[in-house]
Amino acid sequence: MAIRPILVAPDARLKQKSKPVEGAVTDEHRRLMDDMLETMYDAPGIGLAAIQIGEPLRIIVMDLAGKDEPKAPRYFVNPEIVWKSDEVKPYEEGCLSVPDIYDDVERPAHVKLRYMNYNGETVEEDAHDLYAVCIQHEMDHLEGVLFIDHLSRLKRETALRKLKKARALEA
Ligand code: K2U
Ligand code: ZN
């Protein structure tokens, strides 16, 4: 397992549309998911898409367990949202690729998912609350969409200016 660097916006690689895993989930995919999970825990975060470590594959990892609870890793290969509720809810989102920026994003409150798990088995599942928010946030990453893309142009441009200034100060 390895902790991999997380891409930070603005970065053209984060705007890529990730490609589906073709065929079976292999040991190579599982090694990638292991690295993603170790990277996510180290950040720390509760979700991570493969593109955030520069791998344009439709793979997501997540762990919604509270800090005083046992780890509960989840793995999503080629995830699809097969149904979404008309009801929407706002949630203050952040992103490991958009550090120190937080704002409300409105998303469907309830979604139904279909995906392959760590072992390549097909799973169908309902997602509500933080699970629904996080999986939709991560699936946006697979389309090259960041949560700031859902904000007003003014808020997005202000966020990107702040990120560019922080990068210049680090250089
Ligand atoms: O994509 C990412 O960078 C992972 C996000 C997942 C996330 C975004 C918005 C709302 C929920 C989850 C990171 O984990 S951001 C850090 C974080 C941690 C706890 C709750 C919200 C955000
Ligand atoms: Zn994110």
Side-chain angles (χ1 to χ4, degrees), residues 19-150:
K19 296 177 179 57
V21 165
E22 303 293 344
V25 175
T26 64
D27 287 344
E28 188 180 353
H29 297 129
R30 280 183 278 271
R31 275 193 297 276
L32 171 59
M33 288 188 272
D34 293 343
D35 284 358
M36 288 171 65
L37 204 62
E38 187 178 8
T39 302
M40 184 194 81
Y41 286 137
D42 177 70
I46 62 173
L48 194 71
I51 192 60
Q52 291 181 272
I53 59 169
E55 301 281 352
L57 276 174
R58 301 184 80 81
I59 296 177
I60 291 165
V61 297
M62 190 185 300
D63 189 334
L64 301 179
K67 61 181 182 307
D68 302 327
E69 295 172 339
K71 285 189 167 62
R74 301 170 189 232
Y75 309 87
F76 305 84
V77 179
N78 295 347
E80 303 165 78
I81 292 179
V82 296
W83 176 88
K84 49 178 77 171
S85 63
D86 292 334
E87 182 200 358
V88 295
K89 270 187 190 170
Y91 189 94
E92 187 181 45
E93 299 194 11
C95 180
L96 298 174
S97 295
V98 187
D100 306 321
I101 308 280
Y102 299 90
D103 212 322
D104 282 353
V105 176
E106 207 169 71
R107 298 184 188 271
H110 171 198
V111 294
K112 290 182 185 288
L113 307 174
R114 182 184 303 127
Y115 60 92
M116 283 192 286
N117 65 15
Y118 192 81
N119 300 315
E121 297 149 339
T122 299
V123 178
E124 297 201 351
E125 201 164 60
D126 283 332
H128 298 84
D129 304 320
L130 183 55
Y131 184 12
V133 174
C134 191
I135 195 63
Q136 292 178 85
H137 174 108
E138 300 309 335
M139 288 189 66
D140 265 356
H141 276 298
L142 304 186
E143 301 302 320
V145 172
L146 299 174
F147 83 93
I148 56 173
D149 295 325
H150 294 285

